[in-house]
């Protein structure tokens, strides 16, 4: 029996959930978001995936400005950087499926980078920590560049999700595959356009992004201070509109949204919705179900969880 995609999850992430839970003033909102992660985990477990493709972003702890691919697939070892209380160390990778996906994407006209020794950060390991807790499943890490312009377009990300769907379904061995899109929603990070930094903090950030390979932790304390000092800029109107597209299966309409549109309307952190678009397209843009949306200003982010279940769209047999 060939592989099939059986479940999808879109989920926001924030390391402040780990490091500053006690200081979080919006405890009710934070708790509802955390509970939604646990509910999504239970629904994922019920779908019985063998492998989970985790589509996530890079926060300059696994990639640096010396080399930034638009898309990267981990096809061998995968090492979690372990920052801010997220998992650290090697993660189990479904190497045969990962290598098949990389080859199938190449054959289908995509040119993803691949890594036989990939380091990932909380852009994916937050999902490992909360959504894969207790699950016996391998992963396929897929990293999307969302913070170092020029960025892949939203249309290209949607096309990647469709190509990922075809690649998984062409895998000849039996696999139940889930896809997680980790990131977003609206938020603004105190991060510069690396091509045009202004002031000491922005110059520091760009230096960390350029020179951090092999030594990212020495920049982390000041990075954290800069982030904690940033004002919260969340756009619930944008977030509600996007989640409405998730719920109605209309996410393909985001193809027309440009990088500049997202930046202006929902902040540079909203560029992470590309990971949700890849996931939704891999699920065939089936209508989803929102489990939570909370604008948690203490975490600087519109925090959301949604699930996409393709079996829920099938008519029951007589």
């Amino acid at each position: 029996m060939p592989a099939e995609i059986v479940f999808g999850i879109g989920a926001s992430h924030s390391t402040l959930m780990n490091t500053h839970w006690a200081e979080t003033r919006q405890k009710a909102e934070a708790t509802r978001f955390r509970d939604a992660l646990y509910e999504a985990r239970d629904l994922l477990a019920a779908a019985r995936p063998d492998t989970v493709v985790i589509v996530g972003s890079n926060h300059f702890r696994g990639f640096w400005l010396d080399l930034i691919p638009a898309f990267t697939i981990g096809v061998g070892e995968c090492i979690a950087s372990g920052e801010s209380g997220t998992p650290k160390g090697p993660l189990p990778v479904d190497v045969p499926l990962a290598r098949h996906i990389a080859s199938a994407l190449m054959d289908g006209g995509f040119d993803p980078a691949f890594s036989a020794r990939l380091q990932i950060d909380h852009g994916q390991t937050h999902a490992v920590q909360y959504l894969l807790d207790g699950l016996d499943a391998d992963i396929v890490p897929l990293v999307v560049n969302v913070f170092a312009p020029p960025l892949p377009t939203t249309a290209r990300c949607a096309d990647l999700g469709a190509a990922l769907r075809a690649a998984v379904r062409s895998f000849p061995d039996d696999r139940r595959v889930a896809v997680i899109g980790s990131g977003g929603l609206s938020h603004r990070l105190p991060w510069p356009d690396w091509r045009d930094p202004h002031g000491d903090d922005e110059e520091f950030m760009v230096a960390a992004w350029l020179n951090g390979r092999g030594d990212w932790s020495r920049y982390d304390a000041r990075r954290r201070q800069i982030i904690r000092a940033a004002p919260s800029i969340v756009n619930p109107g944008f977030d509600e509109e996007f989640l409405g597209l998730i719920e109605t299966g209309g996410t393909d309409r985001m193809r027309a949204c440009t990088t500049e549109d997202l930046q202006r309307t929902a902040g540079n952190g909203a560029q992470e919705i590309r990971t949700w678009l890849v996931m939704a397209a891999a699920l065939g843009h089936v209508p989803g179900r929102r489990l939570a949306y909370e604008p948690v200003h203490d975490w600087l982010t519109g925090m959301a969880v949604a699930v996409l279940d393709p079996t829920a769209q099938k008519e029951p047999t007589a």
Side-chain angles (χ1 to χ4, degrees):
M1 180 177 179
E4 59 176 334
I5 296 179
V6 298
F7 205 72
I9 299 175
S12 304
H13 59 242
S14 173
T15 58
L16 297 172
M17 181 174 171
N18 290 349
T19 61
H20 288 77
W21 182 270
E23 295 87 348
T24 300
R25 292 162 293 182
Q26 296 173 276
K27 279 295 196 301
E29 293 89 338
T31 299
R32 286 193 292 268
F33 171 75
R34 183 182 62 184
D35 289 347
L37 288 179
Y38 294 153
E39 181 181 357
R41 178 199 59 196
D42 292 344
L43 292 169
L44 177 61
R48 299 179 291 106
D50 303 301
T51 303
V52 180
V53 178
I54 306 181
V55 187
S57 54
N58 158 60
H59 301 80
F60 301 101
R61 293 186 182 90
F63 291 82
W64 290 267
L65 290 176
D66 59 1
L67 182 63
I68 300 282
F71 308 111
T72 305
I73 301 171
V75 298
E77 298 176 29
C78 181
I79 310 297
S81 60
E83 82 284 4
S84 304
T86 54
K88 182 177 183 177
L91 297 171
V93 174
D94 185 339
V95 172
L97 179 59
R99 294 182 180 179
H100 171 83
I101 290 171
S103 295
L105 291 178
M106 286 286 190
D107 292 343
F110 268 88
D111 303 307
F114 67 86
S115 174
R117 184 172 292 149
L118 178 66
Q119 179 169 295
I120 59 174
D121 64 25
H122 74 269
Q124 290 167 308
T125 57
H126 196 275
V128 172
Q129 183 175 14
Y130 290 99
L131 297 174
L132 301 190
D133 183 31
L135 272 66
D136 182 18
D138 292 338
I139 69 167
V140 174
L142 198 168
V143 182
V144 179
N145 172 35
V146 303
F147 288 128
L151 308 181
T153 65
T154 53
R156 188 64 170 165
C157 292
D159 289 343
L160 175 63
L164 173 63
R165 177 180 176 83
V168 169
R169 296 172 79 174
S170 70
F171 187 63
D173 295 335
D174 186 15
R175 287 287 196 286
R176 295 177 62 83
V177 179
V179 183
I180 294 174
S182 178
L185 298 182
S186 70
H187 61 295
R188 190 178 304 278
L189 296 170
W191 288 7
D193 183 327
W194 67 271
R195 301 165 296 187
D196 187 28
H198 298 278
D200 289 344
D201 283 349
E202 292 193 358
E203 294 281 0
F204 168 82
M205 283 291 196
V206 174
W209 300 343
L210 180 61
N211 302 315
R213 186 178 297 277
D215 196 19
W216 62 264
S217 60
R218 74 183 175 99
Y219 297 96
D220 220 38
R222 184 172 173 187
R223 277 174 50 130
R224 178 66 51 175
Q225 291 173 352
I226 293 169
I227 292 171
R228 290 295 293 157
S232 173
I233 301 176
V234 176
N235 186 341
F238 169 87
D239 295 342
E240 290 286 353
E241 183 177 353
F242 179 71
L243 289 170
L245 294 177
I246 290 286
E247 291 172 312
T248 60
T251 39
D252 202 45
R253 290 170 54 188
M254 291 298 296
R255 298 172 64 90
C257 191
T258 68
T259 297
E260 292 73 23
D261 292 336
L262 286 172
Q263 181 90 11
R264 180 178 60 256
T265 305
N268 57 353
Q271 307 295 352
E272 288 183 319
I273 68 164
R274 287 167 170 78
T275 68
W276 288 57
L277 292 179
V278 174
M279 177 276 298
L283 270 290
H285 297 285
V286 298
R289 179 163 65 92
R290 178 197 318 206
L291 301 184
Y293 172 67
E294 303 292 343
V296 183
H297 294 283
D298 287 340
W299 298 348
L300 309 179
T301 304
M303 307 295 292
V305 184
V307 295
L308 280 67
D309 183 355
T311 65
Q313 314 306 316
K314 296 177 180 178
E315 294 293 331
T317 56

